[in-house]
Amino acid sequence: VRIYDALFDNAAAYDAAVAHHKLHYDASLSDPLITSLISGTTRSSLISGATRTCPTKTFNATGLSENLESSQDDDQNETNTGKKPLRVLFLSSDTGGGHRASAEALARQFQLHFPGSTYDLVDVWTLDGVYPYKALVKSYKHLSAHPFQWRFFYHLSNAFPNGKIANIHSGIMCEKKIRKRIAGYDPDVVVSVHPAMNNAPRVATRKLGEIHGKHIPFFTVVTDLGSGHSHWFEKKVEKLYVASERIRRLARRRARTPAKNIVMSGLPIRQEFAVQSEKLGDRTSESGKIYQKQIKEKLGFSTDKPMVLVMGGGEGVGSLADIADEMYIKLTESGVNATICVVCGRNDKLKTDLTERDWDNVMTSRGIRNRFKRRSRKQSSNVIDPNLKGEVEVIGLGYIDEMADYMVAADVLVTKAGPGTIAEAAAVGLPVMMTSFLPGQEAGNVEVVLDAGFGEYCRRPERIGETVANWLKSEEVLFSMSRSASKAGHPNAAAEIAVDIGEITQKW
């Protein structure tokens, strides 16, 4: 599989894959293509009229030929343009999945645009920090589960005096160890994708360059969308990449980062979203509708009714069960036929519960209680016509990798206000219903969506269900929000950032 994949890259990747196979595996294999590879056959001579099969993929000879020619062109372009491979060091921490996801999205673009590039991702605080910095991941897991505590510590650490003290303390206590850590990777460029990875690591990188007599550029890619902690912003970074005007203003105010060093780029998201965005185009157009139906068929969903995608993070957190219940009730009462897909992540218990749930009983018990609440508040005029009944299917999904496909297939996304998820939805023109956010860090994300006009924010599950039902009953409303989402989306942000960083780095 490694060698087959290398066929689609460049000559260097192909040679490295063959060498790796020769070194670590037995060359006497029955597969004729592998045998030819081990015997030293060149890539161009692999093309024949037959279809070759590897353990995970099937390649048509014509398609293989086209990709090989394109790859050979890339090799020639590399020589002509001087795009040499880069050693990229990403600095991040697993305090939420968004930072790692952004780093991996950028890494993929470095490999595409600077063939042969390699990358590493390291958490210098966990490895080389002192308390409290080395407890960053553990503290995040606790605080993110307790929003009131999170709010207090977020705003406390975001205050100007505390930020200065933390930078001075971490620099004195940790900079030398961080410098040694970075030196071990011998990077051509260092890219921070985490707010805690900017001051001491930047100083360490500068000193390392001075010691070795070369300049090692240090870049920061802000992976927040509407709110940004002060630790994101440094005055002396090579470039600071931001996703919104709100973040740009924060950088100017909090760190006085020069305007010429700030790049409005969008949030770096996975390559598959750029691919799907191009294929989908305008989802409100006829071609967009046809493509969406094709993706629904591919995923096994009905093409005759809209799909609502409900998410709560990789672990399936949040009040997903309550949201699913209310969504089912409101859609059924409103006479809306729909499929509700709930991404449960690693929460197997929730997935099983949704699969085995008696939805008729949910409809009866929860519906009666909600109608009683409405009448008690003198809202009896809002009672739905009892003769209406939508056909609603609820599907519990585990951890999924094809998120771009699911977002293309969806007509509405219901999710917490995470920056990466919002950016991915906007890239494919998907309206968003936000259900929760982390105080401070994610509060600005809500404002970004509301200002751009492609979603709303509701906390109460019954209001979430009612609002989404109203959206699905009005194609005009959905189409308007979809077009607004597309205007706000930046599906190619990762590629643009990686190319800019790479070109600046190679000038040194």
Side-chain angles (χ1 to χ4, degrees):
V1 174
R2 184 189 185 104
I3 294 175
Y4 273 95
D5 286 341
L7 293 172
F8 289 93
D9 291 329
N10 53 70
Y14 167 75
D15 292 340
V18 173
H20 181 273
H21 194 94
K22 286 181 178 179
L23 179 64
H24 294 285
Y25 301 101
D26 184 3
S28 58
L29 299 175
S30 59
D31 187 308
L33 177 55
I34 296 296
T35 301
S36 66
L37 293 174
I38 300 304
S39 65
T41 306
T42 62
R43 291 192 307 163
S44 58
S45 64
L46 296 176
I47 305 169
S48 66
T51 297
R52 301 186 184 275
T53 305
C54 78
T56 61
K57 300 178 182 178
T58 300
F59 301 119
N60 178 273
T62 303
L64 181 60
S65 173
E66 293 171 353
N67 279 282
L68 287 173
E69 291 171 1
S70 175
S71 183
Q72 289 166 346
D73 290 341
D74 289 343
D75 295 341
Q76 186 63 41
N77 290 338
E78 180 182 340
T79 302
N80 294 338
T81 62
K83 285 189 175 182
K84 300 177 181 178
L86 297 170
R87 294 186 300 275
V88 185
L89 179 61
F90 290 101
L91 303 181
S92 186
S93 182
D94 286 328
T95 54
H99 304 295
R100 178 178 290 271
S102 291
E104 291 174 348
L106 290 168
R108 174 63 176 151
Q109 296 302 325
F110 277 113
Q111 293 173 332
L112 287 173
H113 294 278
F114 301 87
S117 293
T118 59
Y119 75 95
D120 292 282
L121 191 151
V122 62
D123 179 349
V124 295
W125 293 123
T126 297
L127 296 171
D128 303 302
V130 298
Y131 191 82
Y133 316 116
K134 69 185 305 177
L136 197 63
V137 176
K138 184 178 180 180
S139 298
Y140 173 85
K141 290 180 178 179
H142 171 80
L143 292 173
S144 62
H146 300 81
F148 290 106
Q149 294 180 32
W150 174 275
R151 182 196 302 270
F152 174 78
F153 283 104
Y154 179 89
H155 290 294
L156 179 66
S157 64
N158 199 30
F160 180 79
N162 291 333
K164 280 292 184 183
I165 292 171
N167 286 340
I168 294 170
H169 178 253
S170 61
I172 294 172
M173 299 300 296
C174 310
E175 185 273 323
K176 287 185 179 179
K177 290 190 288 185
I178 291 174
R179 190 196 318 164
K180 183 178 179 181
R181 177 73 59 182
I182 293 174
Y185 291 95
D186 190 24
D188 296 313
V189 56
V190 179
V191 182
S192 166
V193 292
H194 193 282
M197 302 288 171
N198 294 293
N199 185 267
R202 180 190 60 78
V203 174
T205 301
R206 176 179 58 79
K207 290 184 177 180
L208 185 64
E210 292 172 352
I211 291 171
H212 292 282
K214 67 173 184 177
H215 179 68
I216 305 174
F218 188 100
F219 298 85
T220 296
V221 180
V222 180
T223 59
D224 282 325
L225 192 58
S227 304
H229 196 283
S230 61
H231 286 189
W232 271 119
F233 311 120
E234 286 286 319
K235 187 175 182 179
K236 296 181 180 180
V237 292
E238 201 85 25
K239 292 286 184 182
L240 177 74
Y241 297 90
V242 301
S244 69
E245 176 62 21
R246 297 168 65 93
I247 300 295
R248 190 196 70 81
R249 290 198 301 266
L250 276 174
R252 295 284 291 143
R253 178 165 57 88
R254 296 302 299 265
R256 296 183 180 178
T257 305
K260 64 183 179 65
N261 291 347
I262 303 176
V263 181
M264 292 281 289
S265 60
L267 207 70
I269 56 176
R270 289 168 284 187
Q271 169 70 6
E272 51 262 39
F273 282 92
V275 173
Q276 289 292 3
S277 175
E278 183 176 354
K279 291 181 178 179
L280 176 65
D282 180 359
R283 69 163 60 221
T284 68
S285 66
E286 288 304 314
S287 61
K289 294 175 185 177
I290 291 172
Y291 185 71
Q292 185 189 36
K293 285 187 176 181
Q294 292 173 350
I295 297 298
K296 284 185 176 181
E297 288 179 350
K298 171 187 171 182
L299 297 175
F301 300 134
S302 170
T303 60
D304 298 327
K305 52 187 179 182
M307 190 264 271
V308 180
L309 185 63
V310 183
M311 297 170 54
E315 304 298 331
V317 298
S319 56
L320 293 186
D322 290 338
I323 291 172
D325 286 352
E326 293 297 341
M327 196 87 66
Y328 179 87
I329 292 167
K330 299 300 182 184
L331 293 175
T332 302
E333 289 182 337
S334 301
V336 177
N337 300 329
T339 302
I340 302 172
C341 292
V342 183
V343 181
C344 305
R346 300 179 182 88
N347 192 333
D348 295 330
K349 182 178 181 299
L350 175 60
K351 180 183 177 183
T352 301
D353 179 55
L354 292 174
T355 302
E356 298 176 352
R357 185 166 299 182
D358 183 348
W359 290 101
D360 287 336
N361 183 58
V362 170
M363 181 70 188
T364 302
S365 59
R366 191 69 65 91
I368 290 174
R369 185 163 71 248
N370 286 343
R371 284 195 292 271
F372 176 78
K373 286 181 180 179
R374 284 197 297 268
R375 291 191 182 106
S376 68
R377 294 171 184 169
K378 298 182 180 180
Q379 296 178 352
S380 58
S381 60
N382 292 335
V383 177
I384 304 298
D385 184 348
N387 294 321
L388 292 175
K389 186 175 181 180
E391 294 182 4
V392 181
E393 179 184 13
V394 180
I395 301 174
L397 303 171
Y399 193 86
I400 59 176
D401 294 319
E402 307 88 355
M403 187 55 71
D405 287 355
Y406 278 89
M407 285 199 184
V408 169
D411 295 275
V412 174
L413 174 65
V414 180
T415 181
K416 68 188 290 288
T421 304
I422 291 172
E424 290 170 350
V428 293
L430 182 60
V432 179
M433 167 58 72
M434 298 166 290
T435 62
S436 63
F437 62 86
L438 280 176
Q441 179 178 335
E442 294 179 346
N445 302 339
V446 176
E447 297 299 325
V448 167
V449 174
L450 296 179
D451 291 345
F454 65 96
E456 291 188 24
Y457 172 73
C458 292
R459 292 183 59 186
R460 293 168 50 201
E462 59 268 26
R463 287 286 298 142
I464 294 168
E466 184 177 328
T467 303
V468 171
N470 289 334
W471 288 357
L472 294 179
K473 287 191 292 184
S474 174
E475 188 176 76
E476 182 180 349
V477 170
L478 276 182
F479 282 7
S480 176
M481 288 194 295
S482 177
R483 287 189 285 267
S484 296
S486 296
K487 290 179 182 178
H490 298 275
N492 297 301
E496 294 168 3
I497 294 170
V499 169
D500 195 44
I501 289 176
E503 290 178 349
I504 292 172
T505 299
Q506 293 199 339
K507 289 178 182 178
W508 292 97

